[in-house]
Structure formats: C-alpha cells, structure tokens
Amino acid sequence: LKIEKVDRVSPTLGKEFTKQILYGGLFAILAVSLIIFIRYRKLKASGALILVSLSEVMMILGVAAMIGWNLNMPAIAGIIAAIGTGIDSQIVIMDEARVKGESIKQQIKKALFIIGTAFATTFFALLPLTGMLGFLGIDAAGAGLLKGFAVTTIIGLTVGVLISRPAFADIAKRLEE
C-alpha cells in the first residue's frame, strides 16, 4: 500500500467531530433499539440485548484505557464493528433460545458454538492488520493505518466472547424459561 496523503485536523474541528460521533452513536443506539424491539416485540428481551451491548462498549473502552490505547477514527470504527458483531451474536443466541424441540441448554450450546467459530474466523482475519505477526516477516497491512481498527475490533470481539456473550446467553435462558 502507498500512502497518498496525510491530513491534520485542527483541535476545533476535532471537538466538532467528537460531538458528531456522539450524536451518531446515540442515533445508532436508538435505531438499533427500535429494530430489535420490532423484531422481538418484548421489552425485556430487547432491553437486555441493548443493555448488554452498551455494557460491552464500556468494557471495550475500559480495556483500551487500561492498555493505553489511543482512540482515533479507525479505532472508533473498530468499536462500531465489534458492537455490530456483538448484536448479531446476541440475536443468534436469542433466536436459538426460542426454538422449540431441544432443551434450552442445547440451544444455547449451539449458539455459542456458532459465535465461537465466527470469533475465530474474524480474529485470524484481523491479526495481520495488527502487526503482531512481525516475527514471521508479516508487517501491519496499510502501514499501520488500520492497526487501530484491528486492535480495537479484536478487543471488542474477545471481551464479547469471554464475558458478554455467556452473560447474555444466561439472560436469554432465564427469559425463555
């Protein structure tokens, strides 16, 4: 890849961008909440899904702060990607929990297997973008411009698979019982 141009953004524009990102995030939360409510028509199920997603954002930001990761535009895009896959995973859990025939425990196991497979695929697809394979002679693709996206997305996916997906599976199990 060849870098064609690098621009600097003044602090006053950065402040405006931050405000617009917050408004965009609020609009996205409202739009997703509305679609989820229309899909499930249950306030408890919809609320649980949105609440777990918001807590996942807080966990991602917490891990990023803990490791000293700077949030630039690609990193914010990574958070959005992680939340999108998180909501998708929660929908898989919710839909599997609603299927009649097998025990709820079996349904949740199937859902978590699907989610684990998707996690592994995405994790290994993003790994070259992080530059963590430098010892193999594989540098970060895009000269590190996508590194923030890849690292933040991997943090979000890992937090989701290890913490919020199992927690949501338990919530879904309780809602269906």
Side-chain angles (χ1 to χ4, degrees):
L1 296 173
K2 183 176 151 192
I3 298 172
E4 291 292 328
K5 182 180 174 185
V6 175
D7 290 323
R8 301 269 181 228
V9 177
S10 77
T12 56
L13 284 177
K15 185 176 181 180
E16 187 63 30
F17 287 157
T18 303
K19 192 167 80 172
Q20 289 176 358
I21 287 169
L22 292 175
Y23 284 142
L26 182 62
F27 176 74
I29 290 168
L30 293 174
V32 169
S33 299
L34 180 66
I35 291 168
I36 295 296
F37 180 73
I38 290 170
R39 166 79 170 95
Y40 291 107
R41 304 238 185 241
K42 291 182 181 177
L43 194 56
K44 277 186 179 181
S46 303
L49 199 145
I50 297 303
L51 208 60
V52 169
S53 294
L54 290 175
S55 67
E56 194 171 316
V57 170
M58 297 307 292
M59 287 185 271
I60 293 169
L61 293 174
V63 170
M66 190 172 68
I67 64 172
W69 192 256
N70 290 327
L71 292 179
N72 54 16
M73 290 301 222
I76 292 169
I79 291 172
I80 293 168
I83 296 309
T85 59
I87 288 176
D88 183 48
S89 296
Q90 291 171 6
I91 289 172
V92 168
I93 291 170
M94 191 75 87
D95 287 348
E96 283 293 327
R98 298 172 93 195
V99 173
K100 303 298 180 212
E102 293 180 1
S103 71
I104 188 82
K105 193 174 183 178
Q106 286 301 107
Q107 304 294 66
I108 298 295
K109 269 183 158 176
K110 277 199 304 191
L112 290 176
F113 176 76
I114 292 166
I115 292 163
T117 305
F119 164 76
T121 304
T122 308
F123 180 86
F124 287 111
L126 288 174
L127 200 56
L129 296 177
T130 64
M132 292 166 60
L133 300 177
F135 67 94
L136 295 174
I138 302 172
D139 291 327
L145 296 174
L146 297 176
K147 186 175 183 178
F149 173 79
V151 169
T152 310
T153 304
I154 287 173
I155 289 170
L157 294 174
T158 305
V159 162
V161 166
L162 296 178
I163 300 169
S164 62
R165 302 306 177 273
F168 186 75
D170 191 51
I171 292 169
K173 192 186 315 179
R174 291 172 191 229
L175 287 173
E176 290 301 317
E177 289 177 340

